[in-house]
Amino acid sequence: MNTSELNSFIVILIYGSLVLLSLLKLTNPLQVNRKANFWFGIFLFLWSTFWMDEVLFLITGSAIEFHSLYVVRFIQFLTPIVFYFSVLFYTNPTFTFKITDLKFLLLPAAFLICLFLIQSGLTNPFEYLSVILILIQALFYTGLSYIIIRKHQRKIQQFSSNTEGINLNWLEYIIVVLFIVNIIYVIYNLFYDPKSLNFFINTVFLLVIYWVAYYSLKQKEIYPLEEKQRQELISIDEDADEEEVKRKLISDEELGKIKIQLENIMETGKPYLDSDLNLIKLAETLEVSSHHLSYVINTGFGKNFFQYVNGYRVEYAKVLLKDADSKFSILGIAYESGFNSKTSFNTTFKKLTGQTPSEFKKISSDL
């Protein structure tokens, strides 16, 4: 099998994988992140159309410029904005479109006008303008999506003690990889023969698609299904640890009282050993509101919820690691301490102690 035949095989895999994954996300058999998966499914289907020319050529044996159809070009133009909508709903499932969101139609409307003028015969200036609009739309919405995901990663640390599985890292990595690949492809189009790069680009895209399939299908529900709890957590600002210090939610006396109560419960009840512990669960144990508890942790301890809880977990893990008679493996100690994976345990432990759990255990045993 030569490179051309292998490239054709990869194209078929890309198109088939995207269409199949799109159907899976739209049907959403696990019924999680419903709105987000709906928009993400549409995004995957739109993304698959970029390989339609090559697929039709392989089927019919004749060159069919599917992408040159004005309707298709307009639909493909919407791909970045549909991806952005999916990110919006992943990070905020209660998001609803408002009249002010008509601004999302500005670039598509400008592109549609360009297509109309091109069809009318004004090819040269508006063909170039349409390409510029495509680049602006892609860069703007992928950049905006990246910013929203980063904000989401800060926000979930305000209410979750284990962020692995809900931090949307996989979406962040996809944006970065696609951005780099597209930059390479644009440079090749300008200075080299782009056909010589097709095999490489398609191979990278296939790997990215399999990455997307793996992580998107295992993505669990990010926020609680119970509406009141969901609204409560979404209303917590991602920079609450900085903002709430500036304004008093409760009196200093009440803050001190809850702080002492919290420390007692953490020491005696050890709720941090529950890997699913979140702000609402801990607030219910203390019989205070989640906003007040968040304020106490942020103001009274100078930490967010994630940092506060995992500090206790690391200290508990240290005790187990120092125990020479312990029969627990490193992974066993991670689970016993409230972590839900070895990766999160290693990362958090090293961040707080400057050592990996294995290094800490070795040094402790040598003393």
Side-chain angles (χ1 to χ4, degrees):
M1 184 181 288
N2 58 37
T3 305
S4 177
E5 290 172 334
L6 188 57
N7 185 56
S8 299
F9 178 66
I10 289 172
V11 166
I12 293 169
L13 285 178
I14 288 173
Y15 183 73
S17 299
L18 281 173
V19 172
L20 177 60
L21 186 55
S22 171
L23 290 173
L24 285 172
K25 299 306 287 184
L26 288 170
T27 54
N28 196 5
L30 298 179
Q31 297 299 299
V32 295
N33 303 304
R34 293 184 182 184
K35 291 179 181 178
N37 280 333
F38 171 78
W39 284 101
F40 196 70
I42 295 175
F43 157 72
L44 292 169
F45 183 76
L46 294 181
W47 195 17
S48 72
T49 64
F50 287 90
W51 283 271
M52 275 298 294
D53 284 3
E54 294 172 86
V55 171
L56 290 173
F57 175 76
L58 292 172
I59 295 171
T60 64
S62 57
I64 300 174
E65 293 190 354
F66 180 75
H67 74 278
S68 64
L69 299 173
Y70 292 116
V71 174
V72 174
R73 288 181 66 180
F74 180 70
I75 291 172
Q76 289 179 338
F77 182 78
L78 299 175
T79 306
I81 194 172
V82 171
F83 175 77
Y84 170 72
F85 288 158
S86 73
V87 171
L88 274 182
F89 283 108
Y90 273 123
T91 57
N92 181 6
T94 62
F95 175 80
T96 53
F97 291 105
K98 299 178 280 294
I99 191 70
T100 54
D101 293 324
L102 288 173
K103 61 180 180 287
F104 293 129
L105 299 177
L106 291 176
L107 285 174
F111 187 74
L112 194 61
I113 292 168
C114 274
L115 292 181
F116 176 76
L117 293 171
I118 290 167
Q119 195 174 19
S120 302
L122 301 172
T123 308
N124 285 338
F126 292 102
E127 191 67 60
Y128 290 126
L129 182 58
S130 68
V131 173
I132 291 170
L133 286 172
I134 290 170
L135 288 173
I136 291 172
Q137 169 107 323
L139 290 172
F140 179 73
Y141 283 110
T142 51
L144 201 56
S145 298
Y146 183 83
I147 291 168
I148 288 174
I149 292 167
R150 297 294 291 181
K151 285 183 176 180
H152 169 77
Q153 289 165 347
R154 292 197 301 271
K155 183 172 189 171
I156 57 177
Q157 289 196 0
Q158 292 293 339
F159 62 79
S160 180
S161 62
N162 271 316
T163 59
E164 199 172 56
I166 62 171
N167 55 21
L168 298 175
N169 273 352
W170 59 279
L171 279 173
E172 182 185 2
Y173 298 149
I174 288 165
I175 291 170
V176 173
V177 170
L178 291 180
F179 180 77
I180 292 170
V181 169
N182 282 313
I183 290 294
I184 293 171
Y185 192 67
V186 167
I187 292 171
Y188 250 79
N189 267 282
L190 291 173
F191 301 105
Y192 304 100
D193 177 15
K195 291 182 180 179
S196 64
L197 197 65
N198 279 353
F199 173 72
F200 167 75
I201 291 292
N202 284 333
T203 302
V204 172
F205 274 131
L206 183 62
L207 294 174
V208 170
I209 290 162
Y210 285 155
W211 174 285
V212 172
Y214 176 75
Y215 283 100
S216 66
L217 291 175
K218 68 178 286 194
Q219 177 65 58
K220 60 184 180 181
E221 193 76 48
I222 296 171
Y223 290 92
L225 291 174
E226 204 278 309
E227 188 63 28
K228 185 180 177 182
Q229 291 185 353
R230 175 179 285 191
Q231 291 283 6
E232 205 171 336
L233 294 181
I234 288 172
S235 67
I236 295 173
D237 188 72
E238 70 270 7
D239 295 318
D241 55 338
E242 297 173 8
E243 291 296 322
E244 288 184 347
V245 173
K246 299 175 184 176
R247 55 188 175 88
K248 283 190 177 183
L249 292 184
I250 54 177
S251 66
D252 291 340
E253 183 182 350
E254 184 68 14
L255 186 148
K257 182 182 174 183
I258 296 174
K259 186 178 175 181
I260 292 170
Q261 188 184 358
L262 175 59
E263 287 178 315
N264 288 336
I265 285 178
M266 294 298 280
E267 292 292 343
T268 57
K270 295 182 172 56
Y272 54 85
L273 297 181
D274 175 11
S275 62
D276 293 324
L277 181 68
N278 61 29
L279 185 68
I280 288 178
K281 280 186 179 182
L282 191 55
E284 287 174 349
T285 304
L286 288 163
E287 297 181 340
V288 299
S289 77
S290 57
H291 277 277
H292 286 176
L293 178 57
S294 179
Y295 175 76
V296 169
I297 293 171
N298 295 333
T299 309
F301 297 97
K303 299 176 181 178
N304 59 41
F305 180 77
F306 178 86
Q307 293 165 339
Y308 179 73
V309 172
N310 281 290
Y312 277 94
R313 287 175 175 164
V314 167
E315 290 303 315
Y316 187 84
K318 282 181 180 180
V319 175
L320 296 179
L321 288 166
K322 286 178 181 178
D323 185 0
D325 299 323
S326 175
K327 295 179 181 179
F328 288 117
S329 64
I330 296 294
L331 181 59
I333 290 173
Y335 289 140
E336 280 294 309
S337 304
F339 293 94
N340 58 8
S341 75
K342 190 175 181 179
T343 303
S344 61
F345 177 46
N346 286 338
T347 303
T348 307
F349 194 95
K350 185 166 186 179
K351 189 172 183 179
L352 293 180
T353 66
Q355 300 170 315
T356 64
S358 300
E359 289 168 346
F360 181 86
K361 185 177 178 67
K362 185 176 184 304
I363 292 169
S364 299
S365 61
D366 291 341
L367 293 176

